[in-house]
Amino acid sequence: KESKHEAVVQKPGRYIASIEAVDREGKVIGSSPPRKIAVAPLPLLPPPKLLPLDGNLTAAADGRTDLSWEKIDGAKEYMLTISNKEGKELKTLKYTNNQTALKNLMPGEYQVKLIAVDEHGRPSEAGASRTLVVPNKSNLKAPTLKKIKVN
């Protein structure tokens, strides 16, 4: 009834398509020659970049780290991986927005990397691994003791 049709193709690959004309009784009265159609895969998302773009990331004295990264169009979620200096993966966290606050990190150096995941569940390449430094000093003060008697 219409001379235009769009079909959703679930997977990339090579397909053969033809068009048939059907009368009111459902009989084929004509058909086009088959055409080859190549469907290319959608490109992967680019890797997200942690902000600021240069230098080490530094936590506050209480171990809290506010992280943000460039928003990637088409990203459904982001996966942040935290590793120790030796490269052992400590934790992977998922986010739907482009920022987070990490809390209660122990003093030391960590490696963080970030990937974006598209609506089809395909991960991007990992962005450049960045060093996160949690200082060894705290801004918390210990309570002072007064009037201590030693027997």
Side-chain angles (χ1 to χ4, degrees):
K1 294 182 180 183
E2 296 181 27
S3 61
K4 183 178 179 180
H5 179 73
E6 290 185 21
V8 176
V9 179
Q10 297 297 327
K11 294 183 178 181
R14 291 182 282 178
Y15 295 88
I16 297 176
S18 64
I19 301 172
E20 294 182 336
V22 181
D23 67 11
R24 292 178 190 216
E25 293 148 11
K27 293 182 182 177
V28 176
I29 56 174
S31 62
S32 70
R35 289 188 72 185
K36 295 178 183 176
I37 300 172
V39 178
L42 289 172
L44 293 175
L45 296 175
K49 296 177 184 171
L50 286 161
L51 300 174
L53 295 174
D54 296 324
N56 290 341
L57 304 167
T58 306
D62 63 357
R64 179 183 169 96
T65 306
D66 292 321
L67 293 177
S68 63
W69 50 89
E70 294 176 339
K71 188 171 183 161
I72 304 292
D73 289 335
K76 182 177 86 173
E77 64 185 10
Y78 301 92
M79 293 176 62
L80 178 72
T81 302
I82 303 169
S83 304
N84 62 14
K85 286 193 307 187
E86 292 77 33
K88 180 182 176 191
E89 188 176 304
L90 302 174
K91 196 165 214 173
T92 298
L93 305 162
K94 290 183 182 183
Y95 301 97
T96 55
N97 56 4
N98 63 326
Q99 61 186 9
T100 187
L102 302 175
K103 300 175 188 171
N104 301 323
L105 292 172
M106 298 299 291
E109 285 189 11
Y110 301 90
Q111 294 296 314
V112 292
K113 65 181 177 179
L114 191 63
I115 62 171
V117 179
D118 69 11
E119 62 184 315
H120 304 290
R122 300 176 314 149
S124 70
E125 292 291 323
S129 182
R130 300 281 300 278
T131 300
L132 169 61
V133 178
V134 178
N136 206 8
K137 296 180 181 178
S138 172
N139 63 358
L140 301 175
K141 295 184 178 181
T144 56
L145 301 174
K146 298 180 182 180
K147 298 182 182 179
I148 298 176
K149 294 182 180 182
V150 178
N151 292 333

